[in-house]
Amino acid sequence: MAILTAPGLAGTAYAAPAAPAAPAAPGAPGTPAAPEPGAKSLEQVHKEIEALYRQAGTATDAYNLAVGEAKTQSDKIVEIAKQVVAGQERIATLKNRAGAAARAQYRSGGLPPGAQLALSNSPSMFLNGADRLRQGEKAASDTLSELSRTQSDLQQYAADASAHWQTLEANRVKQEKAKTEIQQKIKAAEELESKLQAEEKARLLQLEQEEQYKAQTAWLSSGALKDINGAASEAGKKAIQYATAQIGKAYEWGAVGPSTYDCSGLTSQAWLAAGRPIPRTSQEQLRLLPKVAVKDMRPGDLIIYFDDASHVAMYIGDGAMVHAPRTGRNITIAGAGSMPIKAIVRPDA
C-alpha cells in the first residue's frame, strides 16, 4: 500500500525506526557514569519530561479552546452592537414620525381628527375624512407598537451583550490560566533537560525513540494494518499534501501556521486548505467529527491520542502519520501506533 506524501518523501510503506542498539557493557568507553545514590535514573527523568510536555499539551488544548470561544463571544458582542445601532436609528425614525403627526394636529387647531369630522358640513368630506382617520389611527397605533417593540429589543440586546461579555471575560481568565500552566510545564521540562550532559541528552532522545518503536511494533504485531486499505478522498489527498509540506517546521503551542504549528493547528489548517473547516482543538475534533473504526481508517483521517485527547495526528497510510509532536520537536512522520490511540475521526465523512 503506497502512502501519499509531499514531493521528496518516499512513497513506500512506513519504515519503523531501527531497533535500538544493545547497551554498552559497564565500564566500556562512552558509558555514562552510574548515578549517585538517591539520584533519578535517566528513565525516570525521561518519564517526568514526557509527563510535563503531555500536561503542557493538555493545557494547550484548553488554551486554544478558550481563545476560540473568546473570539466567538467577541464576534457576538460586535453583532449585538450593530443591532443596537440599527435599533436606535429605528427609534429615532419612529419618534420623528410620531412628532410629525403631533405637529400636524397642532396646525389643525389642536382639534382631534374625530372632532374635526363631526364639525364638517359635507357628507362626502366626512366619509373621506373618516377613512383617512381610520388609516391615521392605525398608522399611529402601528408606530407606537413598533416603537415599543424596538425599545424592548434594545433592552434584550443589552441583556444579551452583558451575558456574552461575562462569558468573554470568563474565557479570557481560562485562557490566561492555561497560558500560565503551559509556560510553567514547558519551563519545568526544559530545566530538567538543561541539567543533562550531552551524552545524557542523546540517550534521552534514544529512550524516546525506543519507546515509540516498541509501541509501533506492538501495534503492527496486533494485526492492526491487516484490514486497513481505504483510499484517501480527494479532500483527504489535499489535506495530506498540506500537512506533509509542513514537515520540518517547529512545534509552537497555540500556533496555526504558516511557520509554526501545534498538533491541532496542523490538522485543522490542513483540512481548511482542503476546503473542510474543522474544530480547532484535538478534543473538539474528537467530540464533533464522525468516528470510524481503526480497521476502516483511511489516509486523511485524524488519529486522536491519549485518554484526555490531548494530541492529534493525520494518518497518511501504511501505518504512518504526520504530526507536530511537542515543544522542542519539529513536524515529522512517525508510526501511527507509536502512542496510545483513543479514536479515529473523519473530517469528510
Side-chain angles (χ1 to χ4, degrees), residues 14-349:
Y14 171 74
T31 303
E36 297 179 5
K40 294 179 182 177
S41 68
L42 197 58
E43 286 77 7
Q44 289 174 317
V45 173
H46 165 65
K47 290 184 182 301
E48 282 189 35
I49 289 173
E50 289 301 308
L52 287 166
Y53 280 123
R54 277 278 319 282
Q55 291 164 13
T58 301
T60 297
D61 222 36
Y63 172 86
N64 291 335
L65 183 60
V67 169
E69 290 177 343
K71 184 181 184 307
T72 297
Q73 298 305 321
S74 181
D75 290 345
K76 287 180 179 178
I77 290 171
V78 170
E79 184 58 34
I80 288 171
K82 292 178 181 177
Q83 292 174 326
V84 168
V85 170
Q88 289 172 334
E89 291 175 349
R90 184 59 180 159
I91 284 178
T93 299
L94 293 170
K95 285 183 176 179
N96 287 337
R97 187 183 300 170
R103 288 191 294 274
Q105 183 175 336
Y106 175 79
R107 286 193 297 271
S108 67
L111 288 174
Q116 293 179 40
L117 287 174
L119 296 174
S120 173
N121 293 323
S122 168
S124 61
M125 184 180 293
F126 179 87
L127 292 174
N128 290 336
D131 185 54
R132 287 197 299 273
L133 174 60
R134 285 192 296 271
Q135 293 175 2
E137 288 176 341
K138 184 178 185 304
S141 176
D142 289 347
T143 298
L144 291 174
S145 295
E146 188 172 354
L147 182 59
S148 177
R149 284 196 304 272
T150 305
Q151 289 174 329
S152 177
D153 287 344
L154 286 178
Q155 291 176 342
Q156 185 60 50
Y157 293 155
D160 290 345
S162 177
H164 287 304
W165 183 263
Q166 289 176 4
T167 304
L168 175 63
E169 288 303 302
N171 283 324
R172 283 178 176 161
V173 169
K174 287 192 290 186
Q175 180 179 328
E176 287 303 315
K177 181 179 179 182
K179 181 178 179 180
T180 299
E181 184 176 353
I182 293 165
Q183 293 170 333
Q184 289 175 341
K185 298 300 182 184
I186 291 176
K187 182 180 178 181
E190 289 174 341
E191 285 179 350
L192 276 175
E193 287 182 301
S194 70
K195 295 174 182 176
L196 301 175
Q197 301 297 326
E199 294 83 357
E200 291 175 318
K201 288 181 180 178
R203 175 58 182 154
L204 194 67
L205 179 60
Q206 185 181 7
L207 284 173
E208 182 180 320
Q209 293 172 341
E210 287 175 6
E211 193 174 84
Q212 294 174 356
Y213 171 77
K214 289 177 182 177
Q216 175 74 355
T217 301
W219 185 66
L220 294 175
S221 299
S222 71
L225 276 184
K226 184 178 64 175
D227 297 321
I228 300 177
N229 56 11
S233 64
E234 288 305 310
K237 291 176 185 177
K238 292 178 182 177
I240 292 170
Q241 288 169 356
Y242 181 96
T244 53
Q246 313 313 311
I247 289 173
K249 293 182 179 180
Y251 175 101
E252 181 183 5
W253 63 268
V256 291
S259 56
T260 58
Y261 298 81
D262 62 22
C263 66
S264 57
L266 177 64
T267 55
S268 61
Q269 290 302 302
W271 272 101
L272 181 63
R276 298 294 181 95
I278 64 173
R280 166 67 178 89
T281 71
S282 56
Q283 292 176 351
E284 288 296 280
Q285 288 168 6
L286 171 65
R287 187 173 73 87
L288 297 174
L289 296 179
K291 297 177 181 61
V292 296
V294 171
K295 67 180 180 63
D296 296 323
M297 184 165 59
R298 70 187 187 194
D301 287 346
L302 304 184
I303 308 174
I304 309 296
Y305 292 101
F306 304 112
D307 287 340
D308 59 359
S310 57
H311 192 67
V312 61
M314 180 181 294
Y315 186 62
I316 58 175
D318 281 359
M321 56 81 163
V322 59
H323 72 145
R326 63 164 173 82
T327 299
R329 298 286 185 265
N330 296 333
I331 295 171
T332 187
I333 288 178
S338 58
M339 292 175 285
I341 296 175
K342 180 176 179 65
I344 311 297
V345 296
R346 180 163 295 166
D348 61 339

